[in-house]
Amino acid sequence: MLASRMSPTAAPRVWITRAEPGASATARRVAAAGLFPLVAPLLETADLAEAAAALDALPTSAVLAFTSANGVRAFARLTPRRDLKAWCVGTATAGAARLAGFADLVAGGGDVEALARDLLEAPAAAEIVHASALEPAGDLVGRLVAAGRPARRLAVYAAREAHPAPARLQEALGAESILVHSPRAARILADLLRGRPGPGPRVVGLSPACLAPLASLDLAGMVAPASPLETDLINLLASLR
């Protein structure tokens, strides 16, 4: 693990709560910023095999919408389809789509609302299919349908609670800062922190929605970058040390 090659006393410790493989990628960025990453995911992902037949049957006129790199990777494992145009929420998701073999793709501005605006401004397609988590963080399809665009959601993976080893969890709970990439992880974190003596660690969330489940806790601070991009998240974290 990346953290084992660094001295924990050399830099402020940062607990990374997101699921793998994203957690390790974030850890590398945190280390490059001169901080000490502690990877202890609170979520893990699992493909939904039952979605494979529906993905294979998508018409060639359909357009895909991805709101996470996890969605891209699950889609790619479930079906060989790469003939559809892929609209991606941001550059990281677009990078995952490119690696998965999509040639026709568009990177959005970084959040679901920006992606919805981009899709509504694009020429109408027969259908927009959101390849999503079982419990998506935002309602992309609802936004599109309300604007009169045909769209549906097709869940390709589920995010489930992960349970770090007790010793690793205790180490992570002692970090000076915690990175939270989703409201779901924030809810799990809130349960772990609730009842502990405060003030707790500082939490840096990818967006205000990622901080909302922690609002009632006694924390050293909560902050989110102006835009939901991991580059901005890491820059913000580094500026707080």
Side-chain angles (χ1 to χ4, degrees):
M1 183 174 293
L2 178 95
S4 66
R5 299 198 299 269
M6 303 172 60
S7 167
T9 61
R13 296 163 298 170
V14 180
W15 177 10
I16 298 165
T17 63
R18 70 184 304 196
E20 291 287 16
S24 290
T26 297
R28 290 191 289 272
R29 298 182 187 111
V30 168
L35 304 168
F36 180 78
L38 291 165
V39 176
L42 294 179
L43 292 172
E44 58 188 11
T45 62
D47 297 347
L48 297 177
E50 59 269 28
L55 296 175
D56 289 341
L58 289 175
T60 56
S61 58
V63 169
L64 295 172
F66 290 113
T67 52
S68 72
N70 283 330
V72 172
R73 287 188 285 262
F75 180 100
R77 288 188 292 264
L78 291 169
T79 178
R81 296 288 300 272
R82 303 292 187 273
D83 56 314
L84 305 177
K85 185 167 186 173
W87 287 75
C88 303
V89 71
T91 55
T93 302
R98 194 171 293 109
L99 286 173
F102 285 95
D104 190 3
L105 57 89
V106 179
D111 62 20
V112 171
E113 185 58 31
L115 179 59
R117 289 195 300 268
D118 290 344
L119 286 164
L120 291 173
E121 291 170 1
E127 183 179 43
I128 298 169
V129 179
H130 179 199
S132 75
L134 187 61
E135 298 178 34
D139 187 12
L140 175 65
V141 168
R143 173 81 166 80
L144 296 173
V145 170
R149 188 62 62 87
R152 65 184 167 109
R153 187 169 65 84
L154 209 168
V156 295
Y157 76 97
R160 298 166 179 160
E161 184 173 352
H163 301 281
R168 187 62 171 174
L169 180 59
Q170 285 305 118
E171 184 182 16
L173 286 167
E176 286 78 17
S177 297
I178 304 176
L179 283 186
V180 178
H181 283 70
S182 70
R184 178 81 179 277
R187 291 193 291 272
I188 298 170
L189 177 63
D191 289 339
L192 291 171
L193 294 177
R194 193 170 287 113
R196 294 176 66 90
R202 174 175 54 213
V203 178
V204 184
L206 188 63
S207 68
C210 296
L211 299 175
L214 301 158
S216 65
L217 300 181
D218 182 12
L219 300 171
M222 293 197 304
V223 64
S227 61
L229 300 174
E230 181 155 278
T231 298
D232 294 338
L233 179 72
I234 301 301
N235 288 340
L236 175 59
L237 176 67
S239 74
L240 298 173
R241 58 179 300 178

